[in-house]
Amino acid sequence: MSAPHGRRTQTPTASHTAIVGLQWGDEGKGKIVDLLTAEHDVIVRYNGGANAGHTVQVGAERYALHLIPSGILYPDKACVIGNGVVVDPEKLLQEIDTLRQRGIQVGTNLRISDRAHVVMPYHKEQDAALEEYLGAKTANARGNLSIGTTRRGIGPAYADKVRRSMAIRVGDLLDADYLRSRLHVICTLRTAELEALGVRTAPLDPDALAARYAEFGERLRPHVDDSVYALHDAMAAGRRLLFEGANASLLDIDHGTFPYVTSSNCSTLGIPAGTGVPGHAIGRVLGIMKAYSTRVGAGPFPTELDNELGQRIRERGREYGTTTGRPRRCGWLDLVAVRYSAMVCGATGIACTLFDVLSGLDEVKLCVRYRLPDGSETDRFIPDAHRLEGVEPIYETLPGWSEDVREAPDRDSLPEAARRYLARIEQVVGVPIEVVSLGPERTQTLVDGRRAAALATA
Ligand code: GDP
Ligand code: IMO
Ligand code: MG
């Protein structure tokens, strides 16, 4: 007999973990998720879509995950794409095929929410058209107004979710007749919208789209599930969940540098809505923070180094987008921003990544406050692009270190200046650094001060 309904919804033990980016993305979430997968059972994506690019490096093998949780490399773990994700079925199927070709098992270990929304080709068309329009047609004294999106259709797909009547969900792909009937209405309206942007002259063909997407639905059918019940069943059976944030807190639609953000709640606040798991189930929130800052696309970046030093960090950190290949903008670590993200996400610990990249600099800087246009100072972040553009970073300058730290056996054996840098971050943010990442590989990691042991590999 199944547990009575009231029992099922009792407060779950807070033994679940969230991984979340504390900056503007690409903090090394994929690497840390992979590291923590060993001690969890189910890895769950709750937001974003194929705009994410999470890299996991295992020896010479490098995997770039976009929609599938980074835990997929472990054959005995379950991976869930939650209802808060926007799924591009074509990209997802390509990702499944690529992983299988590389010997990774992708079967019923991958579950996809029937309520996740679908990114359709017209969403990508809309995304690109709006970016072009804002870039070319509205360029004015303030410059280009485009966001610099990944053009993966993310914003338009989430917009359709909120508009309701124009949306398609993964479950809809499993019912060809229903899908076709919806697409007949949607395509008429969407064609008119695309024509207004001056990008489409031929009408969208609902029958062709319905046939193609119903076929994708058939291929995805074995994975489609009611992920909310699946996750609650797993929790009730004592399994530990690991939530994998995509994008990052400063790109959160509500709490990021609006409007230069993505269209989902990428902070941990997106977890309950994006999975159906209540926030109090999560006992550990590991915020991922690069030892410096990067940003891809447009938007304010107070500590940006638009100079030779920024270029040097870009080359040493190989700061080129995992999804789009775009060069990432680089700058000093902004602790005003990180402290804000840690607060919003409820970070209980920090993983400081790409720490090896800072070796060889005479001095390193930490932004601890901003100077506002009226000359006053603040230690509070300003999650509004227009106002944030006006601030000037106030730095503390610390001595740098020349040693290569990649093979350091423990935190105590890092150069003194490197330890001081980490200690100062902990002091300013008020959250302990539990993990220090010294290279892209699993073993190039200090966990609780000591070198992570080599893990059983995929
Ligand atoms: P994510 O989106 O947060 O998962 O991060 P990305 O995968 O987009 O970008 C992080 C990049 O840094 C990837 O190429 C990783 O392999 C690499 N990386 C992760 N941690 C480290 C580190 O500690 N040192 C160095 N040098 N590279 C790292
Ligand atoms: P991961 O998970 C870095 C940025 C885009 C753009 C803005 C909006 O790999 O850290 P979108 O296509 O989402 O509408 O673009 O958000 N962006 C990211 N930047 N890493 C990401 O993901 C990102 N996801 C979105 O560059 O500025
Ligand atoms: Mg990335």
Side-chain angles (χ1 to χ4, degrees), residues 45 47-53 66 150 152 154 158 246-247 262-264 323:
R45 275 278 304 266
N47 77 297
N51 53 353
H66 299 283
T150 58
R152 296 292 186 271
I154 305 297
Y158 277 117
N247 329 127
T262 188
S263 301
S264 68
T323 299

Side-chain angles (χ1 to χ4, degrees), residues 25-29 51-55 65 247 321-323 328:
D26 306 322
E27 295 91 348
K29 297 176 291 292
N51 53 353
H54 295 179
T55 313
L65 285 320
N247 329 127
T322 311
T323 299
R328 297 173 182 150

Side-chain angles (χ1 to χ4, degrees), residues 26 311 314-315 317-323 325-328:
D26 306 322
Q311 179 65 23
R314 183 175 307 118
E315 294 312 322
R318 294 209 228 149
E319 295 293 358
Y320 293 88
T322 311
T323 299
R326 290 179 291 177
R328 297 173 182 150

Side-chain angles (χ1 to χ4, degrees), residues 158 248-259 261-267 383:
Y158 277 117
S249 308
L250 301 178
L251 294 172
D252 184 290
I253 182 80
D254 285 289
H255 303 288
T257 49
F258 193 88
V261 292
T262 188
S263 301
S264 68
N265 285 118
C266 355
S267 67

Side-chain angles (χ1 to χ4, degrees), residues 33-34 37 43 65 68-75 77-79 244:
V33 168
D34 172 69
T37 294
I43 324 309
L65 285 320
I68 298 180
S70 303
I72 197 73
L73 303 184
Y74 289 71
K77 310 289 177 180
C79 287
E244 175 174 356

